[in-house]
Amino acid sequence: MKSLDRGILSSYDYKKRGNWIPIGLVCVLVAVMALSMIYPILSALFNGFKANTEVNAFPPHLLPREWHLDNFGKGWSYIDLPLFLRNTLFIFGGNMLVTVAVLGMAAFSLSKLKVPYRKSIYFFFMITLFIPPSTYIIPNFLNLRDLGLLNTFAAFWLPAGASAFFLLLLKNFFDGIHGEMIEAARIDGASDWNCFARIAIPLSIPIFATLAIFVFSTAWNDWFWPSLVMHHDNKYPLATAIYKYVISAKMLDLNIRFAILSMVMLPPIAVFLLFQKFIMRGLHLGGVKG
């Protein structure tokens, strides 16, 4: 018999009249919160279909009176979106590879190998989570400058291997892998590398899928750090190019601007809707276990 997951409230709780008012208030609150988040997205999308005079009209209205589909064609030709999209995906691919290789091996070592002072190392990385990210922007920039990595994609890949949050998330997941599996592989002659590559990684697909969503979101939305380390237009990621050439543009019509923003806004929403189960499952599997 297939078991059903029980929520916070059962069907009996919904039938009790005394619970109707609080449940109704919660539903109204959730609906208001959902509308407050969906409205800016719909407003930007529909403004991309309006004429420029209609976007600036007062009072504003959500739906366009006349649909101008050519706004998206003009926005596509205004900047080289495929180039900036390619740069963003290139950054994402490198960051994900570094995350799997460097952070994966580091987390596996802290979880399954007898590393000296591994508890102290674990708490050291945990302490770094309390440091504001703005405090190490300048040291990272100076280190990359001294290494000659400015204006290269390595300026993104190298810092990706120093994410304490991803390290702790992977370490907590590896802690849930039974040690008997690793010991059995070692008895059969497997090295530590084979245990990591042939046992840990195949069992860690859910957590790596979750990290892929986070890495993709960071690569897609980050604009400040690329504006510091990249000095050539042809190497900008998408967010930096949008900020410099669309948001900061003074002579660009608002309807074209909204059309470009809509094209950039929809892909990450689609990615999240398609892979949201991996996020929830990965956070559950990688959570701290009691």
Side-chain angles (χ1 to χ4, degrees):
M1 182 177 178
K2 184 179 180 180
S3 61
L4 298 177
D5 294 334
R6 186 186 186 279
I8 298 176
L9 298 176
S10 65
S11 58
Y12 174 76
D13 296 325
Y14 287 107
K15 294 178 181 179
K16 292 179 64 176
R17 291 189 176 183
N19 293 337
W20 288 358
I21 294 178
I23 292 176
L25 292 176
V26 171
C27 292
V28 171
L29 180 61
V30 171
V32 171
M33 293 176 61
L35 289 175
S36 66
M37 297 176 186
I38 295 175
Y39 179 78
I41 299 175
L42 295 179
S43 177
L45 179 61
F46 289 134
N47 282 337
F49 289 101
K50 297 178 181 178
N52 191 48
T53 55
E54 191 176 357
V55 175
N56 294 282
F58 186 85
H61 50 274
L62 182 62
L63 296 176
R65 293 190 175 94
E66 294 183 3
W67 296 78
H68 295 266
L69 301 178
D70 58 328
N71 292 342
F72 288 85
K74 295 178 181 178
W76 182 268
S77 60
Y78 179 76
I79 60 175
D80 194 354
L81 287 178
L83 172 64
F84 301 127
L85 177 61
R86 185 202 66 183
N87 295 339
T88 302
L89 296 179
F90 200 48
I91 293 172
F92 160 70
N95 288 354
M96 194 62 206
L97 182 62
V98 171
T99 298
V100 174
V102 177
L103 296 182
M105 288 189 291
F108 182 79
S109 300
L110 292 176
S111 178
K112 299 302 180 185
L113 303 184
K114 295 181 180 179
V115 178
Y117 307 105
R118 63 178 181 178
K119 287 188 176 180
S120 300
I121 297 174
Y122 174 80
F123 284 111
F124 169 77
F125 283 108
M126 184 175 292
I127 291 172
T128 60
L129 295 176
F130 295 92
I131 302 176
S134 57
T135 59
Y136 47 78
I137 288 180
I138 295 178
N140 281 347
F141 178 83
L142 296 177
N143 290 334
L144 293 172
R145 185 197 63 182
D146 295 338
L147 293 173
L149 298 179
L150 293 181
N151 205 42
T152 65
F153 291 111
F156 302 95
W157 300 339
L158 190 62
S163 175
F165 174 72
F166 290 168
L167 174 66
L168 299 180
L169 199 65
L170 286 169
K171 194 263 182 189
N172 289 329
F173 183 88
F174 289 147
D175 288 342
I177 299 177
H178 293 294
E180 291 81 1
M181 300 177 64
I182 306 298
E183 293 298 329
R186 287 172 178 162
I187 293 175
D188 292 337
S191 62
D192 293 335
W193 166 253
N194 287 330
C195 292
F196 171 72
R198 297 186 178 183
I199 297 178
I201 288 184
L203 293 175
S204 305
I205 297 301
I207 194 65
F208 283 123
T210 302
L211 294 184
I213 301 297
F214 291 154
V215 173
F216 174 80
S217 176
T218 301
W220 191 274
N221 296 323
D222 190 18
W223 64 271
F224 181 71
W225 179 250
S227 64
L228 290 178
V229 298
M230 290 297 186
H231 304 148
H232 293 302
D233 297 352
N234 59 352
K235 290 190 175 182
Y236 282 149
L238 196 58
T240 304
I242 291 297
Y243 176 77
K244 286 183 174 292
Y245 304 130
V246 178
I247 297 178
S248 300
K250 297 181 179 179
M251 303 301 295
L252 181 63
D253 292 339
L254 283 178
N255 57 341
I256 306 300
R257 188 174 306 185
F258 278 114
I260 298 174
L261 295 178
S262 298
M263 289 188 287
V264 176
M265 175 180 58
L266 294 179
I269 296 177
V271 169
F272 175 80
L273 293 177
L274 291 174
F275 299 102
Q276 59 178 325
K277 64 178 181 180
F278 290 104
I279 299 177
M280 305 306 174
R281 184 183 177 190
L283 290 177
H284 173 70
L285 295 175
V288 178
K289 301 172 179 60

